[in-house]
């Protein structure tokens, strides 16, 4: 079975500071990894994903995540955050199960960006 | 860009009443899902659906829950007799034939009073 651990439930940070949201997973099989973002009172939006190839993946709004197989991690980073990045961020793992795939989510990290 | 659409966005219902949440998955997608998020908690898998039948369901998805694809476009979640603890955001999702990314709708807030 797969599981996801997000080590920080809340991360407060000042605007323009760097941030790292940590995610570790466990799985006995190969996985795909995802970060979803949930802005206040909104649904889940795909932020970025790792399927294969380069271990560093980027989003269009400046976030990046690096897949580290040896450490079973997929930490999310941004060098300079904005107020508008305030949201809940969910790390998720998908194990390919021969025809269909389901996502297992972490508990989420609430990123609060302060002026 | 195509998206998963859900209705209603918010529903308040009395305990014991039946509720149907509706979803229109992205048109060429083959796998469909319902997830649930109780306020302040993690997103939990409820059920997956493929080729007009349930592929997998979680422990949460008990006999009070059912899913249906009544026509070529809609995918519904029915809760037969709602309980207070069913209050949550319910997300519908779908996956293209490649199966490697799941796209979520905006969610339906269900409040049971």
């Amino acid at each position: 079975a797969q599981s996801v651990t997000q080590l920080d439930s809340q991360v407060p940070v000042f605007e323009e500071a760097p941030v790292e949201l940590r995610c570790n997973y466990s799985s006995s099989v190969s996985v795909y990894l995802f970060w979803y973002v949930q802005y206040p009172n909104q649904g889940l939006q795909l932020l970025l994903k790792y399927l294969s190839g380069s271990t560093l993946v980027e989003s269009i709004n400046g976030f990046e995540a690096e897949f580290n197989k040896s450490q079973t991690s997929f930490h999310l980073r941004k060098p300079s955050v904005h107020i508008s990045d305030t949201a809940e961020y969910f790390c998720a793992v998908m194990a390919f199960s021969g025809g269909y795939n389901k996502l297992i989510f972490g508990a989420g990290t609430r990123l609060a960006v302060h002026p | 860009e195509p998206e998963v659409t859900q209705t209603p966005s918010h529903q308040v219902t009395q305990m014991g009443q039946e509720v149907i949440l509706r979803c229109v998955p992205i048109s060429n997608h083959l796998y469909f899902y319902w997830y649930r998020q109780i306020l302040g908690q993690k997103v939990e898998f409820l059920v997956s659906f493929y080729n007009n039948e349930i592929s997998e369901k979680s422990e949460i998805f008990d006999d009070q829950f059912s899913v249906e694809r009544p026509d070529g476009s809609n995918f519904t979640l029915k809760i037969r007799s709602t309980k207070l603890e069913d209050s949550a955001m319910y997300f519908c999702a779908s996956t293209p034939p490649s199966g490697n990314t799941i796209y979520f709708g905006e969610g339906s807030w269900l409040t049971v009073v």
Side-chain angles (χ1 to χ4, degrees):
Chain A
Q2 294 74 43
S3 67
V4 178
T5 301
Q6 291 185 244
L7 296 165
D8 307 297
S9 59
Q10 295 187 59
V11 173
V13 64
F14 287 109
E15 195 173 17
E16 297 183 6
V19 71
E20 178 180 80
L21 307 183
R22 295 179 292 171
C23 172
N24 288 88
Y25 70 94
S26 67
S27 176
S28 58
V29 299
S30 295
V31 296
Y32 302 137
L33 294 158
F34 303 82
W35 278 97
Y36 284 83
V37 58
Q38 185 178 33
Y39 296 104
N41 301 314
Q42 295 188 27
L44 293 166
Q45 299 177 29
L46 178 65
L47 186 61
L48 47 75
K49 61 184 178 182
Y50 170 77
L51 304 180
S52 64
S54 173
T55 57
L56 184 66
V57 291
E58 298 177 351
S59 72
I60 58 173
N61 57 354
F63 282 95
E64 64 179 31
E66 186 162 18
F67 169 56
N68 188 319
K69 188 174 181 180
S70 62
Q71 297 186 8
T72 60
S73 68
F74 191 55
H75 300 331
L76 182 70
R77 302 182 183 95
K78 189 170 185 179
S80 176
V81 295
H82 301 134
I83 296 287
S84 59
D85 292 324
T86 295
E88 187 93 20
Y89 292 80
F90 292 95
C91 182
V93 62
M94 174 190 287
F96 183 72
S97 51
Y100 88 95
N101 313 300
K102 73 177 185 186
L103 279 173
I104 303 297
F105 283 87
T109 297
R110 184 170 298 277
L111 175 64
V113 181
H114 302 286
Chain B
E1 183 176 333
E3 57 184 26
V4 177
T5 57
Q6 292 185 238
T7 54
S9 57
H10 190 196
Q11 182 164 353
V12 180
T13 189
Q14 288 197 328
M15 191 168 52
Q17 294 293 101
E18 177 183 281
V19 162
I20 297 177
L21 305 179
R22 291 181 168 80
C23 169
V24 179
I26 297 173
S27 63
N28 67 332
H29 286 192
L30 300 180
Y31 303 98
F32 313 117
Y33 309 82
W34 284 100
Y35 282 77
R36 180 181 82 174
Q37 184 184 30
I38 294 172
L39 186 64
Q41 298 186 24
K42 69 192 301 183
V43 180
E44 302 172 292
F45 169 78
L46 289 179
V47 65
S48 59
F49 191 87
Y50 171 72
N51 199 26
N52 286 318
E53 61 183 25
I54 291 174
S55 305
E56 184 177 350
K57 58 184 180 180
S58 71
E59 294 176 351
I60 304 168
F61 195 88
D62 61 22
D63 292 343
Q64 295 295 322
F65 291 89
S66 63
V67 289
E68 191 178 34
R69 189 158 162 80
D71 53 44
S73 59
N74 291 285
F75 178 52
T76 62
L77 174 70
K78 181 190 291 186
I79 308 174
R80 189 156 53 91
S81 178
T82 51
K83 303 186 286 287
L84 294 177
E85 53 265 37
D86 293 327
S87 295
M89 176 76 93
Y90 289 82
F91 291 106
C92 176
S94 65
T95 304
S98 64
N100 59 23
T101 303
I102 296 182
Y103 296 90
F104 287 83
E106 289 288 306
S108 293
W109 258 119
L110 175 65
T111 302
V112 182
V113 296

